[in-house]
Amino acid sequence: MSQYIERYQRRKLISSYFSVALSIALVLFLLGVLGLLVLNTKKLGDHFKEQITISVFLKDNAKPVEIEQLQKSLALAEYTKSAEYISKEDAAEQYSEDIGENFVEFLGYNPLQNSIDVHLKADYVSPEQVERIAGDLATKTYVEEVSYDKPLIELLNDNARKIGLWILVASGFFTFIAVLLINSSIRLSIYSKRFIIKTMQMVGATKKFIRRPFIWTNIKLGMIGALIALVALGVVLYYINKNFPELNLFNDYMVLIFLFVGVFGLGVIISWASTHFATQRFLNLRTDDLYY
């Protein structure tokens, strides 16, 4: 009978530890994903900004040497990420594929123009700077027109600022919630042992002596939960990098190291603080108050 009770108590204890570790892991995983968004907000914004294209349409009488010089100068410009020359024939072929019919045969001629598509670096994608760049290009005598989506650039910049602000606000809010959730899990775990705490105190054990095993146990649970969260976060990072390689998430190792160390450190720090204050609360309670 005593062996059965002992096995039951052991299973109950393991189940309690497992639930605490899992709760910590889930909360830290969500914090890690949020931290990933915070640390990569600028990178995500830059990725979308660099999809903006300035199309430089060339006159039909533009000489090949002028086109070549313009393309090379654009490729070397400080604001350019890439510059691609598109002939009117290639443009017509692509447009025909998009609409599903050969419009050149229907019209009898190709109305499109040779062009150079310029993708700007993210730091230069603002209404003022794009307008200045487009104005400089338009002064070329062999340039017919410079076209870009001005409303989209304005919208992209406004939304990037708003999203960055809201992500920071959400990060602060969810970090506070995470601390409360982890704290609640640990407090419930210690609540079930409140009579043991009070018994040890009554036989003369010091508060520091009583707290030590609880703190060490929950720090280990916090470390286990953090490791589980980091494994899950690593899987998410791998999936994102595989499906969106242009984000280059694994290129900046220092950001990832900072994120992983931060998540692990939070697991340890929150577990230590929550255990310390929870045990202190029960140590300060009167014996009669333990029944409520």
Side-chain angles (χ1 to χ4, degrees):
M1 183 68 178
S2 61
Q3 291 180 349
Y4 174 79
I5 294 174
E6 185 179 346
R7 285 198 300 268
Y8 173 76
Q9 291 293 342
R10 189 183 297 113
R11 285 198 300 268
K12 188 176 179 181
L13 186 63
I14 292 172
S15 176
S16 173
Y17 287 162
F18 177 77
S19 62
V20 171
L22 188 60
S23 299
I24 293 172
L26 289 173
V27 173
L28 290 178
F29 171 70
L30 292 176
L31 270 182
V33 172
L34 197 59
L36 185 65
L37 282 175
V38 172
L39 294 174
N40 289 278
T41 298
K42 185 178 186 303
K43 186 179 288 187
L44 288 169
D46 290 351
H47 169 70
F48 288 112
K49 285 181 179 181
E50 289 175 353
Q51 306 307 308
I52 298 293
T53 303
I54 295 179
S55 296
V56 183
F57 294 101
L58 306 168
K59 293 180 179 179
D60 290 334
N61 60 358
K63 298 176 183 178
V65 65
E66 293 174 329
I67 296 173
E68 185 177 356
Q69 288 177 348
L70 178 61
Q71 185 179 4
K72 287 182 178 179
S73 65
L74 285 172
L76 295 173
E78 61 178 359
Y79 53 77
T80 303
K81 183 183 179 183
S82 65
E84 179 185 5
Y85 172 72
I86 301 175
S87 66
K88 59 192 301 184
E89 292 77 15
D90 291 339
E93 183 179 349
Q94 181 61 49
Y95 189 62
S96 296
E97 289 180 5
D98 292 341
I99 65 175
E101 60 178 311
N102 193 332
F103 72 98
V104 175
E105 290 183 359
F106 178 76
L107 295 175
Y109 70 100
N110 184 357
L112 302 180
Q113 295 172 294
N114 298 321
S115 64
I116 299 176
D117 283 352
V118 183
H119 289 276
L120 303 177
K121 293 178 181 177
D123 292 339
Y124 293 90
V125 180
S126 66
E128 298 78 15
Q129 294 195 81
V130 174
E131 186 174 359
R132 177 181 59 79
I133 293 168
D136 292 342
L137 293 172
T139 60
K140 309 287 185 184
T141 56
Y142 46 86
V143 172
E144 180 73 30
E145 182 187 1
V146 179
S147 175
Y148 64 93
D149 195 335
K150 185 175 181 179
L152 178 60
I153 293 173
E154 293 175 347
L155 183 64
L156 191 59
N157 278 273
D158 289 342
N159 286 341
R161 284 192 293 268
K162 290 177 182 177
I163 290 172
L165 176 62
W166 280 109
I167 285 179
L168 286 176
V169 172
S171 299
F173 175 75
F174 281 109
T175 300
F176 176 72
I177 297 297
V179 172
L180 289 182
L181 289 174
I182 294 176
N183 182 63
S184 297
S185 298
I186 292 176
R187 281 171 64 90
L188 285 173
S189 174
I190 294 175
Y191 176 80
S192 63
K193 302 177 181 66
R194 65 193 185 280
F195 292 108
I196 297 175
I197 293 173
K198 185 56 67 175
T199 300
M200 293 174 67
Q201 190 177 21
M202 290 174 68
V203 297
T206 63
K207 291 183 179 182
K208 184 178 180 180
F209 179 82
I210 296 171
R211 277 197 302 262
R212 189 184 299 123
F214 288 100
I215 289 175
W216 177 236
T217 298
N218 283 298
I219 283 178
K220 287 192 287 186
L221 292 176
M223 292 169 68
I224 293 170
L227 289 174
I228 295 171
L230 291 178
V231 170
L233 191 60
V235 172
V236 170
L237 278 168
Y238 174 78
Y239 175 80
I240 294 174
N241 190 67
K242 184 178 180 180
N243 289 275
F244 304 97
E246 60 273 9
L247 294 178
N248 299 316
L249 291 179
F250 288 108
N251 284 6
D252 196 344
Y253 288 104
M254 290 307 298
V255 170
L256 294 180
I257 291 172
F258 176 78
L259 176 65
F260 277 52
V261 171
V263 170
F264 188 83
L266 271 176
V268 173
I269 292 170
I270 296 174
S271 298
W272 173 82
S274 298
T275 307
H276 177 85
F277 290 114
T279 52
Q280 187 67 28
R281 176 177 179 272
F282 292 116
L283 285 169
N284 293 334
L285 282 179
R286 294 180 304 172
T287 305
D288 293 342
D289 293 334
L290 296 176
Y291 295 92
Y292 299 99

